Amino acid sequence: MNLNNLYREVIMDNYKNPKNKGLKNASPYHLVHLTNPSCGDDMRVEILVENDKVVDVRQDGHGCSICLSSASVMSDLLIGKSVAEAKELIESFYTMVKGEEVLDEDKLGEAVAYKGVRDFPARIKCATLAWKCVERAIDEVKSNE
Ligand code: ZN
């Protein structure tokens, strides 16, 4: 199996069996809703931050397989991370999909499956939508403290 097939498998698996799907719609979860009109992706991400740690991430939305699977991978990666680590991982993910070098790519785990998106600029917004949601959610939670 080549790397591209492995990556495709990660994407399809997270699309068919999404992790952390379904919102709590309750305090103290913090919700951010963003859309990607160019593709029709619509994503909602909720986070629970306690003591500078991302305790939980929930995601729900509709759209293409890249967007929805990426939300699943993102939620799985960020749960349990400190806010600082989460922000670093989000930045690394943006850097990777832009096609730039990421120093510690291993830390991205299954999210490296989206590396190929750099060859499809129109899909970068699909891959990053859920990450933009969680990034904004973290910023809003921190600025409310
Ligand atoms: Zn999309």
Side-chain angles (χ1 to χ4, degrees):
M1 182 187 286
N2 70 30
L3 212 52
N4 280 335
N5 285 341
L6 181 67
Y7 288 171
R8 195 170 302 131
E9 200 160 282
V10 167
I11 292 169
M12 287 320 292
D13 187 46
N14 278 279
Y15 178 58
K16 288 179 187 155
N17 304 297
K19 300 179 184 98
N20 309 302
K21 189 174 167 76
L23 302 178
K24 299 283 186 184
N25 287 310
S27 177
Y29 278 80
H30 184 83
L31 172 75
V32 168
H33 175 210
L34 291 175
T35 61
N36 171 22
S38 64
C39 178
D41 300 320
D42 187 298
M43 181 53 61
R44 285 178 166 82
V45 172
E46 274 182 341
I47 59 164
L48 180 60
V49 174
E50 283 171 358
N51 301 321
D52 264 333
K53 192 171 170 186
V54 180
V55 176
D56 200 9
V57 180
R58 305 293 306 178
Q59 52 87 15
D60 204 0
H62 51 87
C64 68
S65 59
I66 299 282
C67 173
L68 299 184
S69 63
S70 181
S72 169
V73 168
M74 176 281 291
S75 65
D76 199 39
L77 181 68
L78 298 190
I79 289 174
K81 299 290 194 294
S82 71
V83 164
E85 285 171 325
K87 293 189 83 160
E88 254 176 55
L89 289 166
I90 293 164
E91 279 308 316
S92 294
F93 186 75
Y94 294 159
T95 303
M96 182 190 71
V97 296
K98 274 190 290 186
E100 292 163 18
E101 187 84 14
V102 178
L103 289 178
D104 36 16
E105 201 174 88
D106 290 352
K107 285 189 184 172
L108 284 171
E110 285 196 323
V112 295
Y114 298 87
K115 200 171 183 176
V117 168
R118 64 189 174 185
D119 299 324
F120 304 92
R123 310 310 299 275
I124 291 176
K125 281 185 181 168
C126 302
T128 56
L129 187 62
W131 300 71
K132 299 271 183 202
C133 288
V134 80
E135 180 184 32
R136 184 177 297 186
I138 288 172
D139 286 345
E140 287 178 359
V141 165
K142 296 308 289 176
S143 67
N144 287 341
E145 278 178 359

